[in-house]
Amino acid sequence: MATTSSMFMYSLTIQPPTSVTQAILGQFAGTKEQQIVTASGSRLTIHRPDPTQGKVSTILSQDVFGIIRTLAAFRLAGSNKDFIIIGSDSGRITIIEYVPAQNRFNRLHLETFGKSGIRRVIPGQYLAVDPKGRACLIASAEKNKLVYVLNRNAQAELTISSPLEAHKPQTLVFALVGLDVGYENPIFAVLEVDYTECDQDPTGQAFEEVEKSLVYYELDLGLNHVVRKWSDPVDRTASMLLQVPGGTDGPSGVLVCGLDNVTYRHSNQDAFRVPIPRRRGVTENPERKRCITAGVMHRMRGAFFFLLQSEDGDLFKVTIDMIEDDSGQPTGEVKKLKIKYFDTVPIASNLCILKSGFLFVASETGNHHFYQFEKLGDDDNEAEYDSDSFPADPTEPYTPVYFHPRPSENVNLVESIDSMNPQLDCKVANLTDEDAPQIYSICGSGARSSFRTLKHGLEVNDIVDSELPSVPAAVWTTKITRNDEFDAYIVLSFDNGTLVLSIGETVEEVTDTGFLSSASTLAVQQLGEDALIQVHPKGIRHIRADRRVNEWPVPQHRSIVAATTNERQVAVALSSGEIVYFEMDSDGSLAEYDEKREMSGTVTCLSLGEVPEGRVRSQFLAVGCDDSTVRILSLDPDSTLENKSVQALTSAPSALSIMAMPDSTSGGSTLYLHIGLYSGVYLRTVLDEITGELSDTRTRFLGPKPAKLFRVSVKGEPAVLALSSRSWLGYSDPQTKNFMLTPLSYVPLEWGSNFSSEQCTEGMVGIQGQNLRIFSIEKLGSNLLQESIPLTYTPRKFVRHPEHPLFYTVESENNTLSIATKEQLVNDKTVVNGDGVRLPPDEFGYPRAQGHWASCIHVVDPVTAKATLQQIDLTDNEAATTMAAVSFASQSDETFLVVGTGKDVTVSPRSSSAGFIYIYRFLEDGKELEFIHKTKTEQPPSALLAFQGRLVAGIGTELRIYDLGLKQLLRKCQAHVVPNLIVGLQTQGNRIIVSDVQESIIYVVYKQQENRLIPFVDDVVARWTTCTTMVDYETVAGGDKFGNLWLLRCPQKASEEADEDGSGAHLVHERQYLQGAPNRLALMCHFFPQDIPTSMQKTQLVAGGRDVLVWTGLQGTLGILVPFVSREDVDFFQTLEQHLRGEEAPLAGRDHLIYRSYYVPVKGMIDGDLCERYSLLANDKKQMIAGELDRSVREIERKISDMRTRVAY
């Protein structure tokens, strides 16, 4: 990378892409249960479906820094573990395994066969595996096919042969599958087209007659080569193959899915064909043919069936009847093929049927769904069609068959997994006046589209919320004996007394516990085997199992101000500044240590750690004083209460907690001291277990109230509950073991404690005002919470109301009947009974119609109503394209909503009969829109923007300025500034940044005096711009259709010349350079994040954080670019990145630097996602890199985590 770049950015992913391009099923952990492995862009994720709860949880997600094109699972004969084969853009075949003990992917083989990148003739596009795990075939879209033989050696390790070629030039491959042939030679079935003759025939006659063939390639294991065994023409529209079970289970062969038909084919059997049933209904076109887009085969004992999905989302169940012999056993010869309607689910990119009776639908757009099978559709009265009634010859016509779609009967939705794919626009704004802004985005397509609100926080499951007689100060839970599984009491402390509640079927007050109820409580603890301790301001109460009570009274004229306990030790601080320490004797009584230790100031808080396993005491006592210090005192018998170390703080400590937590640096667990300050700051420092030294302090601001800390446990791991003006949880990330501090999406609590009962084994109890709340935290994996509001059609753009917390969306759907046309058809008098049934479009989609558009405008309230408030439907086949909120100076700065639409729009090639600009007025604080007037334009407006009290519009290649008139908009100024089509506008001052669809961006200046728009600087590279934002007056950040992010800067001299006062004649007459503007933009930064950026914004994401660039990707990615402040940091991260490229090479074999430089060499960017993999390295590698960088491992991890936590989550 050119280190001469003057600007450096650090790229981080906040939310990885959520679209699933591939999903496979297998027993990857080597146990009985099945896992689902999905590919999303460059991420490989393994999910664990939980059949008992009907949930899918993520176990491991890893960025492979390469584009995953195809996945396959296979297992060697006789083994019980599935391996994963990845076909990627690295020009290599990769075989990996999942290692459950270390929760990571381990690469077993990496075989190079071609160039990197996605090319026509380099294999990697198609991948098929022999069902017995003996071989795999990897093929390219054209010409090349390679077969690898898989085996195991004497040590039972997986081996891979050198590739065997099955190339055929000038042949296009459409689909590929491994045949089930038992243990005979492996056979692969391929759909291919030979285009040799089409290429040489200029008349186009050969293209009309070209045939698509089903070809069998056989791998001869004895001779170790591949032969083309059998070929037969199939339906020209065939696009998909599905494997039919063979051997003892079925007849072998394949199902060939084409347009409007499904055919069974095999080399030694007749062909059997059934049609794909079409929907019947008044709004459906009876002539529209369907094709199959996804399918899955499932075996059961002695039977199998297929579920095929059409492009409407309808599932069809396909079964094969076989001819039986005299004893009633199937012979393996096919009798007929049968098809019937099963159910309707969202359109899937992949379907997976689990053995536990679940169906996983990886949706093409919107949320992924997890269904449970209620029944297999055998006993319903749906019409079944079989191949006896239909000709097998693909050219022969037949009568189409129909079915009535109906709500699901056979499958039942148990979980919907959030997915923001496709994400079309996004805004970061703080509408709820919280300390951190929220992310608002529009995503999804069709009736499954939604408006999402994303907040940083953990999801909390509320269990109990009950009101108390008065406001409590604190709460604890305690067991009665050491070996109890669950807590027995909840102890509530009030200003003047203590209340004890017993935990059982119900929670009720108990009075005979031995607790002192007339005084408030400072601490409660189960001590030793079966005793309890209560610390109150006037003493310590020791309650034995036989209800004997020992009381230790406080010396006269003093009281206890702070206390801390564990199961063997008690320490209290008196109002005089003395510390009294007790330890449990062998007979179970508390013994006071002879000397009291006097502190210099008033003690504000104390903490003893838990007693470590196999020890009799915790080694250290942490003491916080009001002179803003924390001291660590030793509790060793030889040096009791001696000072070990001290740490100065910025304000007095309000809470302390010593606890051991898992740690990514050491790989094991480390003792930490957590400190909460009165100023609301939280600190975490490492406490050395031998010397008591404090080191590596990390800080975080929680809120303006004093911080309180409580030890809790989540998912079996220790965690810290930190309470300030918001509730936070500090925990170790389940994957990386890095320390995370995340706010809870919950009411602010004043006090908290762990809670465990039969109904809720791992929860927490807290106080909020006068209420007692019991809650639990289920998911630690995702720290972004989503709220979703359904929209009607695919959203295109949205804008925010300038003052109120409201948004306005424009939505349009192509080839879809508009509401008016639909009503007309439904209300037609000739409707046959049963055809007029209205189905919910979010499940069944909208009725399709070529050339029609359905479009609307919505008012969305994401804060109070959390719903859409108004819907305005567009008529006359118009489709909304863009919108803006504009305040017109001529109307005394009143803000209007401006919407651009197109009439009879054809997307490709681009054409339309007219365009319109609608003006709406805001009523009722923006909750309603009132139509004012519309103005006709030659083409649909593709970009609108408020500019100096007027409207600037991009219409085709022209940039226009409009003002608001009484009957329509008035054109004030126009200029032809771009070669193709304006797709985006940004402005500051007199400057307008215009994005062209394929010629990057152009800076235009508006000269008031002459009323002219003059382009003065453009770009050297033709970028297919998708989104832009101004970083400062000279710099623009943007993204393009190929998945690049870039920053461009205008030369200083050109910028100053453009802003000179006057008519701008010097700019008009300046000599053009290479048919463009006189000046050129300079490239500052360039990066390939592997998702198409759809929006970009300069904003803050956390309270008090720096400005960052937040970008969103089409597949649901959320990413940020963080500017570096110091040159020293840049050098550090550049070196770290170089080391990680070598030590942590990408899983699929792609070179990281080449991958991030896919189209243009990476410049001025450091890949934070790669740097964050440092914490997952083995310890020796971490030490080696740390040595090279001349830092400690902890220091490096702290720098990496600071880069993220200071600006994002």
Side-chain angles (χ1 to χ4, degrees), residues 678-689:
Y678 275 101
S679 58
V681 173
Y682 159 86
L683 297 93
R684 184 187 73 135
T685 78
V686 176
L687 175 59
D688 190 298
E689 295 179 29

Side-chain angles (χ1 to χ4, degrees), residues 18-87:
T18 49
S19 74
V20 171
T21 48
Q22 284 268 327
I24 54 170
L25 198 59
Q27 297 169 342
F28 302 106
T31 56
K32 280 267 170 54
E33 69 172 22
Q34 291 177 301
Q35 289 88 18
I36 300 166
V37 169
T38 60
S40 314
S42 62
R43 282 192 100 78
L44 196 64
T45 309
I46 183 162
H47 309 267
R48 178 177 165 263
D50 186 343
T52 52
Q53 292 183 320
K55 285 200 167 17
V56 179
S57 51
T58 305
I59 312 176
L60 172 65
S61 179
Q62 182 174 339
D63 200 327
V64 301
F65 301 111
I67 298 169
I68 302 172
R69 299 160 74 187
T70 170
L71 291 174
F74 80 98
R75 76 169 65 180
L76 295 167
S79 87
N80 59 352
K81 180 172 184 171
D82 287 340
F83 297 104
I84 303 163
I85 306 181
I86 304 176

Side-chain angles (χ1 to χ4, degrees), residues 731-1021:
Y731 57 97
S732 299
D733 182 88
Q735 265 188 40
T736 60
K737 297 288 178 261
N738 283 337
F739 183 73
M740 309 276 282
L741 190 65
T742 311
L744 301 182
S745 171
Y746 203 52
V747 292
L749 301 171
E750 275 98 58
W751 198 275
S753 175
N754 232 12
F755 178 82
S756 173
S757 72
E758 276 183 61
Q759 290 79 19
C760 165
T761 49
E762 195 175 58
M764 296 171 210
V765 57
I767 294 169
Q768 174 241 338
Q770 205 171 324
N771 292 10
L772 182 72
R773 286 175 173 261
I774 298 174
F775 58 95
S776 65
I777 294 166
E778 303 292 327
K779 287 184 185 167
L780 290 181
S782 67
N783 61 359
L784 277 175
L785 281 172
Q786 293 191 16
E787 281 177 358
S788 177
I789 299 168
L791 299 175
T792 309
Y793 306 116
T794 306
R796 305 290 169 179
K797 282 266 183 301
F798 75 133
V799 296
R800 188 194 153 185
H801 190 287
E803 285 115 39
H804 303 290
L806 297 168
F807 285 98
Y808 305 89
T809 64
V810 286
E811 299 154 38
S812 55
E813 200 67 37
N814 196 4
N815 295 336
T816 300
L817 286 180
S818 68
I819 288 190
T821 323
K822 208 156 61 181
E823 289 299 319
Q824 202 178 324
L825 288 167
V826 171
N827 298 330
D828 192 356
K829 294 282 180 284
T830 58
V831 173
V832 188
N833 189 19
D835 282 1
V837 179
R838 299 191 183 199
L839 296 163
D842 56 329
E843 287 177 40
F844 295 91
Y846 290 111
R848 302 248 151 231
Q850 202 68 32
H852 285 256
W853 283 87
S855 183
C856 70
I857 303 166
H858 266 141
V859 182
V860 183
D861 177 357
V863 179
T864 44
K866 299 198 173 168
T868 52
L869 305 179
Q870 186 188 7
Q871 175 170 341
I872 300 170
D873 287 297
L874 299 181
T875 51
D876 295 342
N877 205 26
E878 283 182 43
T881 52
T882 179
M883 70 190 319
V886 181
S887 71
F888 286 98
S890 60
Q891 300 288 321
S892 60
D893 286 339
E894 185 185 345
T895 305
F896 292 86
L897 187 69
V898 185
V899 177
T901 70
K903 185 171 161 64
D904 307 323
V905 178
T906 311
V907 180
S908 177
R910 198 182 307 120
S911 73
S912 63
S913 60
F916 294 97
I917 302 178
Y918 284 72
I919 304 286
Y920 290 93
R921 177 176 262 133
F922 295 121
L923 302 177
E924 311 249 339
D925 290 343
K927 291 181 180 155
E928 272 186 35
L929 297 175
E930 178 193 28
F931 173 65
I932 306 286
H933 57 62
K934 67 177 183 180
T935 308
K936 190 170 180 180
T937 57
E938 310 84 77
Q939 290 186 28
S942 45
L944 300 169
L945 182 71
F947 176 69
Q948 299 183 354
R950 299 199 277 188
L951 166 71
V952 60
I955 296 167
T957 60
E958 308 228 319
L959 190 64
R960 285 189 193 160
I961 295 179
Y962 284 102
D963 209 340
L964 188 60
L966 286 174
K967 296 281 179 69
Q968 63 166 27
L969 289 169
L970 310 172
R971 194 186 306 182
K972 294 293 183 190
C973 170
Q974 77 172 32
H976 176 85
V977 293
V978 301
N980 304 298
L981 175 74
I982 295 175
V983 289
L985 297 169
Q986 302 283 337
T987 181
Q988 274 186 31
N990 282 330
R991 187 168 291 182
I992 302 173
I993 312 290
V994 184
S995 324
D996 181 75
V997 67
Q998 68 183 68
E999 291 289 342
S1000 191
I1001 54 177
I1002 293 148
Y1003 283 39
V1004 176
V1005 65
Y1006 174 62
K1007 292 295 181 187
Q1008 196 103 28
Q1009 197 177 331
E1010 291 272 306
N1011 191 24
R1012 290 188 76 164
L1013 290 161
I1014 308 166
F1016 65 94
V1017 56
D1018 59 13
D1019 198 3
V1020 284
V1021 178

Side-chain angles (χ1 to χ4, degrees), residues 1045-1065:
L1045 290 170
W1046 29 262
L1047 265 88
L1048 301 171
R1049 184 169 284 171
C1050 173
Q1052 189 78 30
K1053 184 165 168 280
S1055 176
E1056 285 164 5
E1057 273 177 18
D1059 286 345
E1060 280 173 17
D1061 290 342
S1063 64

Side-chain angles (χ1 to χ4, degrees), residues 1124-1140:
F1124 278 106
V1125 181
S1126 71
R1127 185 76 224 186
E1128 183 194 355
D1129 278 355
V1130 174
D1131 294 342
F1132 168 79
F1133 278 102
Q1134 265 187 326
T1135 324
L1136 176 64
E1137 194 183 28
Q1138 275 166 357
H1139 282 300
L1140 283 167

Side-chain angles (χ1 to χ4, degrees), residues 562-565 571-573 579 581 599 603-609 618-625 629-635 641-647 653 655-659 671-675 685 687 692 694:
T564 177
T565 60
V572 296
I579 288 178
Y581 168 64
M599 304 307 284
V603 177
T604 55
C605 46
L606 298 168
S607 175
L608 282 162
S618 163
Q619 295 282 5
F620 303 113
L621 170 66
V623 183
C625 298
T629 58
V630 170
R631 289 181 165 75
I632 302 294
L633 307 183
S634 164
L635 297 179
L641 299 185
E642 275 183 21
N643 219 356
K644 282 283 190 185
S645 63
V646 63
Q647 175 150 353
L656 295 171
S657 176
I658 297 177
M659 56 198 279
L671 204 57
Y672 290 108
L673 171 64
H674 303 270
I675 308 168
T685 78
L687 175 59
L694 296 170

